[in-house]
Amino acid sequence: MFNCKPSVLSLALAAAGVGFAFSSDIALAADGINTEKTQVANAVENETNVDNAAANTSSNNITAEDDIEVIRVTGYSRSLIDSLNSKRYGDTVSEQLSADDLGALPDVSMADALTRLPGISAVRTGGQAAQINIRGMSGGFVSSTLNGREQVSTSGSRSIEFDQYPSELISSAAVYKSSKASLLEGGVAGTVELATVSPLSKTEKHNFVVNARAMYNDRASEVYGAEEYGDRVSFSYQGKFLEDTLGIAVGYARLNQPSVATQFIGFAYNGTADVDFIENDTNGPIGDDGDMTNAHKEYLGEGFELQHLGGVETRNGYMGAIEWAPVDNFVLKADAFISRFDTEAFARGFRVKLEPESASIANPVLDGNSVIGGTYNRKSTGNTRVELVNDDNQDFDEVNSYGINADWQVTDNLNVNVDVSLSSAKSNFRNGLLWSNVAVDANADTPIFDENVSISYLLNGLDLPDVGFNQADAFSDTDRMMVSKYGIYPYVNEDELIAYRIDFEYTLDNDVISSVEFGSRYSDRTYSNDRSVFEYGVDNAFSSSQPPLRLTDDMTTVVDWEGDFSYFPSYLAIDVDAALNAWFPNGTPQPVQTWGNADGVAPGQAQGYTNNYSWSVLQSGEVYEKVWSGYALANINTELGGLPITGNVGVRVVNTEQSATVLKNVGGDPAFGAQNILDEIGINNSLYAPIVEGVSYTDYLPSINLNFHVTESAQVRFGAAKVMSRPPINRLAGDASASVSDTGEINGSSTNNPFLKPFYADQYDVSYEYYFDEGAFVAALFYKDIKSFIDTDSIDNYDFKGNGYNVPDSIELDSGQVVPTVNGTFTTAMNNEKGGYIRGLELAYTQVFASLPDAWSGLGFNASYSYTESEIETISTFAGEASKQGLPGLSNNVASATLFYSYEGFETRVSARYRDDFISEQVAINEQVVNFDGETVIDYQASYQVTDGLGLLFQVNNLTDEPTKSYFGNQNKTGTIQYFGREFYLGLNYVM
């Protein structure tokens, strides 16, 4: 059996109140004790000396040296070592954040905290990390749990938004990079396990903590209407009562922070035109099937926008737990976590719509076969224009997690755990857009849209572009600018999951298998999305039936650009409420879910709608998912040739039933289920049949984890598993349609697909871990064989009639000739078979110089580096010509480092996070896949402990004001250039 002698550092940590064994993993620090649930940390007070720590550990058959030197490890150093011990004694390849670490984090959310771990990076949204990437895989491949329970998300996908989880309310976090049978399925990239406090496990009888911080953003003064100041406030209480049989914990955290950005965003290359007039130019776009009709043309960008972003983000988080242990072998716990994250934001500036295919283009500047500059003039038949935008966006997010857990040690050998949970999320996003355009004379009785539009620009790669507008003076003139269109586009997601779980663990008296675990879980999930719309006016001209609004000085402010953007022309910021009150004196109409004047709506039924809004109905619906899973796991504790080996081997079996509501266009034929479907205002459409479609499947997921304890300080881990990640829940929501062209060809599409199967991968991990008295060195290799991905693909010669579409056998042409219809292309989301490998290397090093004399003993360093590569490629056309690009979310190189120092109550640290280029989405008019440039984000924190209870804190996030920059294909085709500003915090912590 495995015997482990404690290191000097382990005993020093025990003296500092830090446990070096966790739950069943205490076996790794004890002789032959594998399942005894001892909590060393809880038995040792912070001021206990080494003799007491040794006495405590001796009860677990560990003998301490009599002459061990006392080394006190506190603060950030203690947090790092605590995390290392959790990693060291875990049974999988994992990364850990300790409770003390989280309690002192400068991070706004858990996303920022997790990015300091090896192989983990994040995509910044609004300057903050929201979703994380693990080992080069984006958030959709990351499974997340809270207190061991699956969490649903407000994002409309599987990945949770970590910025909704305040770091102040999370007591621990773990990232499992290798899998085991008892872990919930779903994480091809990895599983993130967050946990709130267990009050009975705390050492203190009572503990009350208050944090208060004021914040300031140094770019907010450059954005008209932005808030410069914000605050963070939190408090928590934990107490034990009735002779430590009843525990209570409550917590509250409030974040009120300005959201600030100044940005340039280039739009995708969606157009083509011949601008160089080179005959027989074969470098341009090539049509389907090698059609060379367009081969002499060049790729043209759709346009760009320059905007100020501002607003306020308010997050209120609540945590509560009550734990009852009436007898020694039974614990009942109920806990709750609630988050409310509200965002009210504006975007102001101008949007340039080049409409290049209908413009006159002079002096084009080419990068290869793509236009990156030139002068665009509007034609009488074109729509080239500059719009002033005053967007008003609101996002109200709700996250709820509730659970009840009963843990019963039935006998000395048998443990039973039962868990019931509810996770729910709701996102109500309201995207309100106010467009303004230039009039010849806004004071005229019948204003005329100014069609004299000339736009010159030249992209400068990852620097801001050169721009020029012949209408620049009009952008800040109320005698020229008029509001021409208002639109609001709400998007409501709701997601709810109820789960029931039972787990058993039975301890064996065996030289190979120390215990067996087995259990079962059932979950029932329902997801829904609802779209709606209201539009008034037009944005490419002035409407005669819905005339533009005359602006007045009392509803506008002239805004100048500052800093790097100062050379751009001034514009009018419009008070949206004042404009809407003037435009709609009887009240602004509310958005509705409607067909509009879509096909299938009878003449006269559209009630004044002139646009097809069928998307608001077709993209609304529900997804249902029921999952049964069971697992069996054997925990290994043995020796082979004198080499101690621990670990586990097991298998998880998962059965999934998924289905979604679909409105299928059956041409109004009742034989195919066509019904009269009313929208929210009573418009009827008779073309569609409401159906529920789906699929069920069963997966077998074997796994093995082995830990070879080479020496007392060194160990080698090996892990192998088959893993899966289900498709984003919103990609299962179905909508399907088919139509017949004028020539008789049938084509159709389904944006999503309720028949999508999971992503699958076989993964392998090998790591070497060396722990020394003041730190650790870890090196890991990993390999993932991805079996497939979800793509949007086209199926040629699709059998529409055989798949339930009511399509005609023939049509009559305009000439009167009757021709048979032919099957064409069906475009849909599907599982491709074009997988590939992801492989990489991770290195991590921690050094705490606790043994150095006097003032130097508080010095320390923590760093990690990962290299990841993949053969997986995707095809993108956003840069014009279809091109291959890497796996979304993958940065080849990711690194982080923290240098820290503490002395007599003073502590300071500087942290840096780096990731190189990666592929992700930028949000412009629509979501666009772009290449993001590498970035380095640096944070700084300093604190001083005035008394035992009172501490002061100063910190700066994004110390160098690192921008986000992206491009299409190569850096000459600019995507995003966005600055967020530095965030300064000043506050206090009080512990009682």
Side-chain angles (χ1 to χ4, degrees), residues 150-161 164-165 337 339-340 396-402 422-428 492-498 525-529 729:
E150 182 180 1
Q151 297 296 289
V152 299
S153 173
T154 59
S155 66
S157 64
R158 303 277 180 182
S159 56
I160 70 172
E161 295 184 313
Q164 295 180 350
Y165 293 79
F337 175 87
S339 177
R340 299 290 183 266
F396 305 102
D397 291 342
E398 302 176 6
V399 172
N400 305 292
S401 181
Y402 307 100
L422 168 67
S423 176
S424 66
K426 180 178 180 179
S427 174
N428 186 349
V492 179
N493 288 313
E494 294 190 66
D495 205 347
E496 181 178 278
L497 182 145
I498 300 174
R525 183 172 187 172
T526 301
Y527 166 81
S528 67
N529 58 26
I729 193 79

Side-chain angles (χ1 to χ4, degrees), residues 601-612:
V601 174
Q605 286 287 311
Q607 301 186 15
Y609 283 95
T610 58
N611 289 323
N612 177 353

Side-chain angles (χ1 to χ4, degrees), residues 63-181:
T63 302
E65 304 274 345
D66 291 336
D67 57 351
I68 290 176
E69 179 184 0
V70 176
I71 302 174
R72 290 291 310 279
V73 184
T74 60
Y76 188 70
S77 301
R78 170 178 161 176
S79 300
L80 285 175
I81 299 300
D82 197 17
S83 298
L84 284 177
N85 277 314
S86 296
K87 176 183 178 71
R88 180 178 186 177
Y89 299 116
D91 59 355
T92 63
V93 178
S94 65
E95 308 295 342
Q96 308 279 340
L97 285 173
S98 76
D100 286 351
D101 194 9
L102 294 174
L105 281 178
D107 306 292
V108 172
S109 73
M110 289 307 304
D112 289 304
L114 291 168
T115 56
R116 293 188 286 109
L117 298 175
I120 300 175
S121 55
V123 179
R124 290 191 295 165
T125 302
Q128 303 290 345
Q131 294 189 4
I132 65 170
N133 303 155
I134 299 179
R135 288 181 164 177
M137 302 191 75
S138 58
F141 300 97
V142 177
S143 173
S144 302
T145 65
L146 178 67
N147 296 326
R149 302 163 184 140
E150 182 180 1
Q151 297 296 289
V152 299
S153 173
T154 59
S155 66
S157 64
R158 303 277 180 182
S159 56
I160 70 172
E161 295 184 313
F162 286 94
D163 57 353
Q164 295 180 350
Y165 293 79
S167 59
E168 298 95 329
L169 300 183
I170 303 298
S171 66
S172 65
V175 178
Y176 295 100
K177 296 177 178 178
S178 67
S179 186
K180 63 178 180 178

Side-chain angles (χ1 to χ4, degrees), residues 280-294:
N280 302 318
D281 180 1
T282 59
N283 294 323
I286 298 176
D288 295 337
D289 302 321
D291 181 8
M292 299 294 290
T293 303
N294 295 324

